[in-house]
Amino acid sequence: MSFDNEEKEISIESLIGDICRYHHGQHREAFHSLGLHHGQHRLLFQLWKHEGLTQSELAAKMEIQPATLTRMVQRMERAGFLSRRADEHDERISRVYLTERARRIKTEVKDRRIRLSERAVKDFSPEEKEILTNLLIRLRENMIGKDR
């Protein structure tokens, strides 16, 4: 199989890189008009499911580094999507809550995410979607070193 006009071999690594780049660009295009930066919609989805989580809990659920989550929360707090409040039982713990601005965009964010997902697999059969999902799960596990 060839790639570009240079007749390079397609490697899994180059395909993953291309997919990530296209994914990032499409998400930027889809969510920027709502005031969201790349990955921030994932944080909103976590809070729409479980509002009031700690930053450590959110980082674990999103499988990102706590420092990355902290920067994301700070940025989203400045943009008016989130607020942090001390835990009522332990003031050393900070919990993250949605603002009204975040609640207002929930349906639109969900709709845009569905459209992006549908676009990515628009000509795949249900069986191909299932196979792809299973392969991607295995690939992710391999990359993070999880043994099945």
Side-chain angles (χ1 to χ4, degrees), residues 3-4 8 17 23 27-28 30 33 41 59 62 66 80 91 105 109 114-115 118 122 139:
F3 184 72
D4 288 333
K8 294 189 287 187
H23 176 265
H27 275 71
R28 182 178 47 248
S33 64
H41 70 287
M62 294 176 66
E91 291 188 8
I105 64 169
V109 170
I114 289 168
R115 284 195 302 271
E118 288 173 349
K122 68 180 179 218
L139 180 64

Side-chain angles (χ1 to χ4, degrees), residues 137-138 140-148:
I137 289 168
R138 286 175 48 200
R140 180 180 65 184
E141 289 172 353
N142 289 344
M143 292 181 79
I144 61 176
K146 287 188 177 177
D147 293 325
R148 284 187 278 144

Side-chain angles (χ1 to χ4, degrees), residues 23 26-36 41 45 48 105-120:
H23 176 265
Q26 289 172 2
H27 275 71
R28 182 178 47 248
E29 186 178 307
F31 297 115
H32 187 265
S33 64
L34 297 174
L36 296 172
H41 70 287
F45 274 99
W48 285 325
I105 64 169
K106 182 179 181 178
T107 301
E108 186 61 30
V109 170
K110 283 184 171 189
D111 290 348
R112 290 180 189 199
R113 188 169 89 163
I114 289 168
R115 284 195 302 271
L116 286 170
S117 292
E118 288 173 349
R119 176 181 172 187

Side-chain angles (χ1 to χ4, degrees), residues 5-57:
N5 292 329
E6 299 176 17
E7 295 296 320
K8 294 189 287 187
E9 285 294 315
I10 294 180
S11 68
I12 291 173
E13 182 179 288
S14 68
L15 287 170
I16 291 170
D18 289 346
I19 291 166
C20 289
R21 202 170 44 259
Y22 296 136
H23 176 265
H24 184 83
Q26 289 172 2
H27 275 71
R28 182 178 47 248
E29 186 178 307
F31 297 115
H32 187 265
S33 64
L34 297 174
L36 296 172
H37 295 275
H38 186 71
Q40 291 180 343
H41 70 287
R42 292 181 57 230
L43 176 54
L44 290 176
F45 274 99
Q46 289 299 324
L47 291 169
W48 285 325
K49 285 189 257 181
H50 309 286
E51 189 169 3
L53 294 174
T54 66
Q55 289 182 203
S56 297
E57 292 167 334

